[in-house]
Amino acid sequence: MTLTQHVRNGWYLGAWSDEIGRTLKQRWITDIPVCFYRLPDQTVTAVEDRCPHRKYPLSLGHLDDEGTLQCDYHGYRFDGQGVCVGVAEQADRPKAALRRFPLVERDGAIWIWPGDPELADESLLPDTSWLTDPSWTHVHGVVPLKARHMLLLENLLDLTHETFLHPTSIGNAAVAATPIDVTVDGDRVGFSRRMIGIEAPPFYEKSCGLTSPVDRWQDGDFYPPGIFVLNIRVAATGTEEPDGFHMKVLYGMTPGRGNETHDFYALGRDYLIDDQELTKFQHEQQLAVMQEDVDALEAQEIMYATDPGGSAESSIKSDLAALRGRRAVAKMLAREQRAQQDARVPHSRASV
Amino acid sequence: MTSPSATAPDTRPLGSAAAGTPSGTRRGTEFEGTVTVLTRQAVADDVVSLELAASSGEPLPVWQPGAHIDVVLPTGATRQYSLCGPVGDTAHWRVAVLREPDGRGGSQWIHDHVEEGGELRVRGPRNNFPLRPATRYLFVGGGIGITPLLPMIAEADAAMAEWSLLYGGRTPSSMAFLPELEGHGERVTVRPQDKHGLLDLAGFLGDPDPSTLVYCCGPAGLIDAVEAHCADWPTGALNIERFAAAAVRQPADDTAEQPIEVELRASGTTVTVPPGLSVLKAVEQAGVPVLSSCEEGICGSCETSVLEGEVDHRDSLLTEDERAANDTMLICVSRARGGRLVLDL
Ligand code: FES
Ligand code: FES
Ligand SMILES: [Fe+2]
């Protein structure tokens, strides 16, 4: 069972701040085309990328210095609020406005809420202060993935795959051999795994200058539907907090169009923050590891897509976090669909 | 896995990342290092008690009743065991380990490899099950769940509080530390299941009493039953410690021995599920098709809506909230409390 429909009442990473400027950028999010841009006061805006006239993509249009967006098909023009302010052909203003999405720009990330704007609640966002905290440094980016969001989610919630898929970098036998604790808090799913006195995987050996044995901790938190934060620490065995090396990885798992997903990532650390070489090495490694995941998930996507009837899957105990993640998303989706249905039930007129 | 778990599966605060501090920080006066096994003693069928001392010869940290230590196995796995020796003995720690053939292998490893004179890596102590002051205590222990209660009893006794213990297990020979409990006379009620059947929780717990605290540790089924009995007690009166993942394929308590009646409302039929047969199998035998895959309470494919009756959840997948809602169950492993269920099948 793998979901292909998307939860929309939730925050997704829509873009990194440095991706969006005074040019129009299209990005599909939960099957909705979205056009991102900045107004002259630098505030970021996201509107549905379909012109209300004949649905031409607004991202193929123009943004002028006053922040007026013009559709380049027949010339509809929209102000900063997305309200149509005119069209070249006629004097009166067509009645039209663009759908605008709730956005939060914080710590260099732009979060978008593609669903009911009334429900957009900033408090559901994870803490990202480490992305701008001067005692941390990080790299970030986005990788395209031709696989459904749920496969990425399960990939991140079940890190036992590191042992098999990433043996030359971050995985070794200790990962799969150590059981995890899984916690659920409302919709959120967390897991933690403590690997004590293990052989240091190559990435950590190089990143932290450590030799085996090491203690390695992984604490993952899934903020459904699309945010995952991994806390990593590695320390020489026997040393305790705060001697460990801390890293954090943020993943924005943002459904795109069809079964495509934007795989946003940020990898941060709180040690040797001025070491550019290390930053470069870690970024390369991060991308190499993600490529291994992308290749695997794209291969897996084909297998799910060509088996729509869904032959039974087999599951094992280490799937628990991923299975709970699935349930969390499935429940959100069910809630959303129920709410939509309720909204469609015609209200009988109240008798006065 | 039958060690009382310190990290009850569903209690870790999730906001850790959101709080800005990287999660998982551990601090304080914990010991982390190597201990030597001074004695290893069989204290019941498949239960060994281990007496440990710091290999360095240094004193061990003090601890409070309810505390546990992590034993870090060479496999990298960690298991929690309650400290059950005398509080205040900083030279020795005592833990008891039940061999669990169906567990994840931690207890088996200890049973098979730990010898007197050998060494173990441990961490702790930590306490998620502290004893709070009260004038009266009711202790309910099931099987190896007796371990955290032993130091609690000693403490209650020393404080001259009123207390009693109800101790259940499969058979007398499977119940550890009976000789130690003997000296307490009528305060201790030992009720092996082979002779007495279900624990009489109603009789033992009685009516809610604001001056009484209830402490329970044991298999999930027992804890669930105690929770049900204490539903209308004041908040905080009941204190429990669950075994990690105890819900998995454990004959949780006596209900496994009872046949249950399951009405399949949509199909208009009723099946009787004898002990030893899963609800899933009984339903299939009745000719009602159901999806299933793992048959271990992991995958969720056999999830079924519950219309009536109280579920005895034995799966690994459902969250505490989902369990408490009692409107769904994984029929490959879960059973009924109260002998009857109505399912939407
Ligand atoms: S489609 Fe945009 S103006 Fe016609
Ligand atoms: S068959 Fe997998 S949970 Fe029941
Ligand atoms: Fe991976």
Side-chain angles (χ1 to χ4, degrees):
Chain A
M1 196 272 301
T2 306
L3 292 175
T4 53
Q5 275 170 298
H6 305 305
V7 172
R8 292 205 170 126
N9 288 330
W11 292 109
Y12 289 104
L13 224 171
W16 293 111
S17 291
D18 53 22
E19 290 183 288
I20 306 302
R22 304 299 313 282
T23 52
L24 303 168
K25 171 151 186 97
Q26 185 194 59
R27 182 165 276 153
W28 289 75
I29 290 174
T30 65
D31 278 321
I32 304 169
V34 177
C35 174
F36 288 93
Y37 60 96
R38 280 185 200 275
L39 293 172
D41 67 358
Q42 291 306 313
T43 53
V44 57
T45 300
V47 297
E48 183 163 347
D49 196 18
R50 276 192 186 98
C51 179
H53 179 233
R54 289 296 178 268
K55 301 186 190 284
Y56 190 73
L58 294 159
S59 55
L60 296 180
H62 277 94
L63 187 64
D64 71 14
D65 289 345
E66 276 78 62
T68 305
L69 176 63
Q70 176 180 298
C71 177
D72 273 1
Y73 195 6
H74 313 90
Y76 269 50
R77 290 152 43 81
F78 303 90
D79 70 8
Q81 301 306 306
V83 177
C84 180
V85 288
V87 56
E89 278 73 22
Q90 62 180 52
D92 22 329
R93 193 163 59 88
K95 283 193 191 56
L98 303 176
R99 171 178 176 197
R100 294 167 78 230
F101 299 95
L103 294 180
V104 174
E105 182 167 27
R106 186 191 283 173
D107 299 318
I110 297 166
W111 302 95
I112 183 168
W113 183 280
D116 181 351
E118 301 264 302
L119 302 176
D121 175 0
E122 273 192 47
S123 72
L124 297 173
L125 284 167
D127 172 42
T128 49
S129 56
W130 54 281
L131 293 171
T132 44
D133 183 336
S135 55
W136 283 71
T137 185
H138 82 275
V139 293
H140 66 251
V142 55
V143 169
L145 171 66
K146 285 192 172 41
R148 60 197 76 182
H149 156 262
M150 183 59 69
L151 295 179
L152 178 57
L153 170 57
E154 294 195 31
N155 172 277
L156 293 171
L157 280 175
D158 178 11
L159 296 183
T160 53
H161 81 263
E162 288 183 354
T163 304
F164 306 98
L165 198 57
H166 312 300
T168 59
S169 52
I170 54 173
N172 63 16
V175 182
T178 311
I180 55 166
D181 283 332
V182 181
T183 54
V184 173
D185 175 13
D187 285 331
R188 292 194 194 161
V189 179
F191 70 82
S192 87
R193 177 187 269 138
R194 303 264 176 279
M195 293 162 273
I196 307 295
I198 61 159
E199 198 188 315
F203 173 73
Y204 295 110
E205 230 169 28
K206 287 203 202 106
S207 285
C208 312
L210 287 175
T211 45
S212 304
V214 298
D215 294 350
R216 175 181 177 193
W217 303 351
Q218 291 174 331
D219 292 288
D221 287 305
F222 169 48
Y223 299 74
I227 309 168
F228 179 78
V229 181
L230 183 65
N231 283 286
I232 301 164
R233 66 274 315 285
V234 190
T237 293
T239 51
E240 261 294 354
E241 278 306 303
D243 300 331
F245 296 86
H246 299 186
M247 278 176 248
K248 280 172 175 281
V249 198
L250 169 79
Y251 284 98
M253 305 170 275
T254 307
R257 193 167 129 191
N259 286 333
E260 294 180 5
T261 304
H262 311 290
D263 192 355
F264 289 93
Y265 66 92
L267 168 69
R269 67 171 192 274
D270 72 344
Y271 60 93
L272 297 176
I273 59 172
D274 297 324
D275 187 336
Q276 309 281 336
E277 286 281 292
L278 180 56
T279 303
K280 194 165 155 261
F281 166 74
Q282 287 197 335
H283 200 173
E284 280 164 4
Q285 277 287 314
Q286 171 72 16
L287 288 170
V289 168
M290 284 177 78
Q291 193 57 49
E292 289 172 340
D293 285 319
V294 165
D295 292 345
L297 297 179
E298 292 185 348
Q300 198 188 1
E301 169 62 37
I302 293 170
M303 295 308 149
Y304 274 98
T306 52
D307 184 22
S311 50
E313 296 166 315
S314 159
S315 299
I316 53 174
K317 281 189 189 134
S318 61
D319 294 315
L320 183 58
L323 287 167
R324 288 203 171 156
R326 259 190 205 183
R327 286 177 74 82
V329 175
K331 274 192 189 167
M332 287 179 104
L333 194 62
R335 262 202 316 262
E336 215 168 291
Q337 288 170 343
R338 229 178 297 125
Q340 270 163 17
Q341 248 150 38
D342 292 352
R344 256 180 253 127
V345 172
H347 293 280
S348 57
R349 184 172 300 198
S351 47
V352 185
Chain B
M1 205 164 26
T2 354
S3 60
S5 152
T7 20
D10 285 300
T11 52
R12 188 173 67 94
L14 267 158
S16 41
T21 44
S23 63
T25 309
R26 212 183 297 123
R27 54 178 76 81
T29 56
E30 281 181 24
F31 174 84
E32 167 147 13
T34 307
V35 291
T36 304
V37 179
L38 299 183
T39 60
R40 169 191 164 129
Q41 217 186 332
V43 287
D45 299 348
D46 286 330
V47 181
V48 291
S49 96
L50 305 175
E51 196 187 9
L52 312 170
S55 302
S56 63
E58 280 162 54
L60 294 162
V62 290
W63 53 280
Q64 300 297 325
H68 71 276
I69 54 169
D70 289 352
V71 175
V72 185
L73 303 173
T75 55
T78 305
R79 294 292 178 274
Q80 284 87 31
Y81 296 102
S82 294
L83 290 170
C84 62
V87 173
D89 181 353
T90 54
H92 311 107
W93 279 346
R94 182 174 74 166
V95 295
V97 181
L98 169 71
R99 178 198 286 273
E100 282 207 285
D102 291 338
R104 293 170 297 174
S107 68
Q108 299 252 49
W109 191 93
I110 291 178
H111 271 255
D112 295 342
H113 295 96
V114 175
E115 289 163 6
E116 288 183 5
E119 294 196 322
L120 281 176
R121 272 183 66 79
V122 306
R123 265 200 312 251
R126 264 173 288 160
N127 198 350
N128 298 335
F129 191 36
L131 187 71
R132 289 183 292 119
T135 50
R136 184 166 170 261
Y137 297 99
L138 294 174
F139 298 109
V140 183
I144 196 72
I146 191 68
T147 47
L149 303 182
L150 292 177
M152 292 188 178
I153 286 169
E155 177 121 328
D157 217 42
M160 307 224 284
E162 208 187 307
W163 64 268
S164 37
L165 165 71
L166 178 63
Y167 181 13
R170 272 178 300 111
T171 60
S173 66
S174 73
M175 297 170 71
F177 305 117
L178 289 176
E180 279 176 39
L181 291 165
E182 242 161 38
H184 293 298
E186 297 205 333
R187 294 187 156 194
V188 174
T189 310
V190 177
R191 286 281 176 270
Q193 197 187 308
D194 60 348
K195 294 214 185 67
H196 300 273
L198 279 170
L199 289 180
D200 176 17
L201 292 173
F204 179 74
L205 296 168
D207 293 326
D209 171 349
S211 64
T212 301
L213 294 180
V214 180
Y215 280 80
C216 172
C217 183
L222 174 65
I223 291 178
D224 291 347
V226 171
E227 269 180 334
H229 275 288
C230 291
D232 48 4
W233 283 57
T235 327
L238 173 61
N239 301 273
I240 56 174
E241 183 155 72
R242 283 183 186 275
F243 297 167
V248 190
R249 286 185 297 148
Q250 303 261 350
D253 67 355
D254 322 71
T255 51
E257 311 309 323
Q258 314 291 327
I260 51 180
E261 202 161 88
V262 180
E263 182 187 330
L264 311 178
R265 187 144 295 164
S267 327
T269 150
T270 296
V271 296
T272 303
V273 186
L277 191 71
S278 67
V279 175
L280 172 76
K281 285 280 170 260
V283 168
E284 280 175 343
Q285 283 172 16
V288 177
V290 257
L291 274 181
S292 68
S293 165
C294 69
E295 298 190 25
E296 285 191 273
I298 296 171
C299 72
S301 45
C302 67
E303 185 169 355
T304 302
S305 294
V306 177
L307 303 175
E308 279 167 38
E310 214 187 318
V311 184
D312 175 10
H313 293 287
R314 306 277 180 84
D315 62 278
S316 303
L317 179 62
L318 298 184
T319 64
E320 289 309 319
D321 288 350
E322 289 168 332
R323 278 180 196 164
N326 197 56
D327 57 3
T328 188
M329 72 185 284
L330 303 188
I331 60 171
C332 64
V333 288
S334 295
R335 301 183 72 84
R337 223 180 280 139
R340 196 183 139 75
L341 285 175
V342 181
L343 300 180
D344 188 13
L345 277 177

